[in-house]
């Protein structure tokens, strides 16, 4: 049979119209669905903000700005201040990030640039398993294993080492309780380390190999390639991973509650017990009697929301500046 004898298979005009109509309907439905999902997120966020503001109004009216700068927390006399939880939240997060960021970046560099292929997968799986462990497991391990270990080893060594130094002697003063602000910061560092490492590893692997090969061809060492090629190319993603870990550290509840000591006071020593916003809410919300007590706890939640919002806003601003400078 000649090719000209084969009947042409083509959509008739009515069929073509039906296909185009179906495509237009699908596209319109998809656009509407994504718009509704975006609006739903804004509605939920707005509802959370309104609920926090409404619930915290009695405490804010009663204490005013003094709620932010007062250390007192006495449910019996209904005298509340948020300074101690805010201080504990900020300090434990700073300790966690000071430890997790350099170690996370070093592990990511090792996995992408130096690790043998046969070892890369087991280490990657171990990091992913660390990220999947529930926070309460970290808390139980921290209370019964990690804190006694620190009490016997690290904390006495820090007290003896920094005792003669004026400023550091205050940071590491007092008896080694095991639990405390430093222990909570170390637990948070272990918890956020997998997030920073995983994101940094992924963005390091996204660096075009031709850039690294060109640098090696010019005679650069591995350190120089990482410093001048890999990190500058991936700094936007690394910054995002660090801020994601910081957000996790600011809002962590159960693990910190187990090991921080839950003491409503500010101490110059990192070895002393303290508290955080999330730990205070978790410990006392079920026992809060009276509107003012409950409102004070809700006000703590509002403060934590504001802190997290400003941290994410600053991170977004930093990313925009980096992207603008890169072009």
């Amino acid at each position: 049979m000649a090719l000209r004898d084969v009947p042409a298979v083509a959509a008739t005009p009515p069929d073509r119209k039906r296909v185009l109509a179906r495509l237009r309907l699908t596209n319109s439905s998809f656009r509407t669905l994504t718009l509704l999902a975006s609006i739903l997120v804004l509605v939920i966020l707005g509802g959370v903000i309104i609920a926090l503001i409404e619930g915290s109004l009695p405490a804010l009216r009663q204490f005013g700005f003094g709620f932010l700068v007062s250390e007192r927390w006495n449910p019996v006399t209904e005298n509340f201040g948020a300074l101690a939880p805010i201080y504990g939240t900020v300090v434990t997060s700073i300790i966690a990030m000071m430890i997790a960021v350099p170690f996370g970046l070093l592990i990511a560099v090792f996995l992408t640039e130096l690790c043998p292929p046969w070892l890369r997968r087991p280490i990657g799986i171990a990091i992913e398993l660390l990220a999947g462990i529930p926070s309460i497991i970290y808390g139980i391990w921290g209370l019964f294993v990690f804190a006694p270990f620190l009490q016997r080893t690290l904390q006495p060594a820090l007290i003896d080492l920094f005792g003669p130094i004026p400023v550091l002697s205050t940071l590491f003063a007092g008896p080694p309780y095991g639990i405390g602000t430093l222990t909570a910061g170390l637990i948070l560092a272990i918890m956020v380390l997998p997030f920073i490492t995983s994101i940094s590893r992924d963005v390091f692997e996204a660096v075009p190999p031709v850039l690294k090969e060109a640098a090696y061809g010019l005679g650069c060492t591995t350190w120089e390639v990482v410093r001048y090629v890999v990190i500058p190319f991936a700094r936007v993603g690394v910054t995002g991973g660090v801020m994601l870990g910081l957000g996790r550290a600011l809002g962590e509840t159960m693990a910190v509650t187990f090991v921080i000591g839950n003491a409503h006071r500010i101490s110059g020593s990192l070895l002393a017990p303290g508290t955080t916003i999330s730990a205070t809410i978790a410990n006392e919300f079920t026992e809060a009697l009276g509107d003012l007590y409950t409102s004070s706890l809700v006000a703590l939640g509002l403060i934590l929301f504001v802190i997290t919002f400003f941290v994410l806003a600053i991170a977004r601003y930093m990313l925009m500046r980096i992207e603008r400078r890169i072009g």
Side-chain angles (χ1 to χ4, degrees):
M1 180 182 297
L3 290 177
R4 62 176 179 271
D5 298 331
V6 178
V9 180
T12 61
D15 293 336
R16 188 179 298 112
K17 290 181 180 180
R18 283 195 294 269
V19 171
L20 292 176
R22 187 175 71 252
L23 291 177
R24 282 194 294 268
L25 177 62
T26 303
N27 189 40
S28 177
S29 301
F30 179 72
R31 185 185 299 110
T32 304
L33 182 62
T34 54
L35 177 62
L36 290 177
S38 303
I39 294 175
L40 180 61
V41 172
L42 295 178
V43 170
I44 294 175
L45 180 61
V48 171
I49 295 174
I50 293 173
L52 289 175
I53 294 176
E54 182 180 359
S56 61
L57 282 179
L60 297 180
R61 290 196 187 104
Q62 177 71 22
F63 304 110
F65 182 75
F67 184 75
L68 298 175
V69 298
S70 175
E71 184 183 349
R72 294 186 299 271
W73 189 272
N74 192 338
V76 177
T77 60
E78 291 192 332
N79 193 354
F80 302 104
L83 186 59
I86 293 174
Y87 172 82
T89 300
V90 174
V91 171
T92 53
S93 299
I94 291 175
I95 294 173
M97 301 312 294
M98 289 178 61
I99 298 172
V101 171
F103 275 94
L105 294 180
L106 289 175
I107 295 173
V109 170
F110 175 75
L111 290 177
T112 56
E113 304 297 330
L114 301 172
C115 184
W118 60 270
L119 186 60
R120 188 172 301 164
R121 185 173 181 83
I123 295 179
I125 293 175
I127 293 172
E128 294 171 358
L129 288 177
L130 282 177
I133 297 177
S135 60
I136 193 171
I137 303 301
Y138 279 108
I140 294 174
W141 173 78
L143 180 63
F144 293 106
V145 178
F146 194 56
F149 172 77
L150 294 180
Q151 185 181 21
R152 295 190 305 267
T153 57
L154 180 62
Q155 292 185 356
L158 292 175
I159 294 172
D160 295 337
L161 178 63
F162 297 114
I165 304 175
V167 177
L168 296 179
S169 62
T170 304
L171 288 176
F172 301 98
Y177 294 105
I179 59 174
T181 303
L182 178 63
T183 306
L186 293 175
I187 291 292
L188 285 178
I190 297 173
M191 295 182 67
V192 304
L193 179 66
F195 296 94
I196 299 175
T197 302
S198 298
I199 295 176
S200 300
R201 179 192 60 185
D202 292 340
V203 296
F204 287 167
E205 289 178 346
V207 177
V210 66
L211 297 180
K212 295 187 287 186
E213 292 170 0
Y216 283 121
L218 292 174
C220 294
T221 63
T222 302
W223 160 245
E224 291 172 333
V225 171
V226 171
R227 180 181 178 183
Y228 296 109
V229 177
V230 176
I231 293 180
F233 187 89
R235 53 188 168 186
V236 175
V238 171
T239 304
V242 170
M243 291 305 166
L244 178 63
L246 179 57
R248 172 71 187 274
L250 287 171
E252 179 54 42
T253 303
M254 294 308 301
V256 175
T257 304
F258 272 87
V259 299
I260 198 170
N262 302 304
H264 282 276
R265 64 173 181 268
I266 296 176
S267 175
S269 174
L270 298 178
L271 307 182
T275 188
T276 63
I277 294 176
S278 55
T280 300
I281 296 174
N283 278 325
E284 304 187 23
F285 204 87
T286 56
E287 302 175 359
L289 300 177
D291 295 336
L292 190 59
Y293 193 0
T294 304
S295 178
S296 299
L297 294 175
V298 176
L300 287 179
L302 178 62
I303 293 171
L304 181 60
F305 179 86
V306 172
I307 293 174
T308 306
F309 174 81
F310 275 104
V311 167
L312 296 179
I314 294 172
R316 185 58 187 169
Y317 175 73
M318 293 172 56
L319 293 176
M320 290 175 59
R321 291 195 59 182
I322 293 174
E323 292 173 354
R324 189 181 301 114
R325 186 165 56 248
I326 295 174

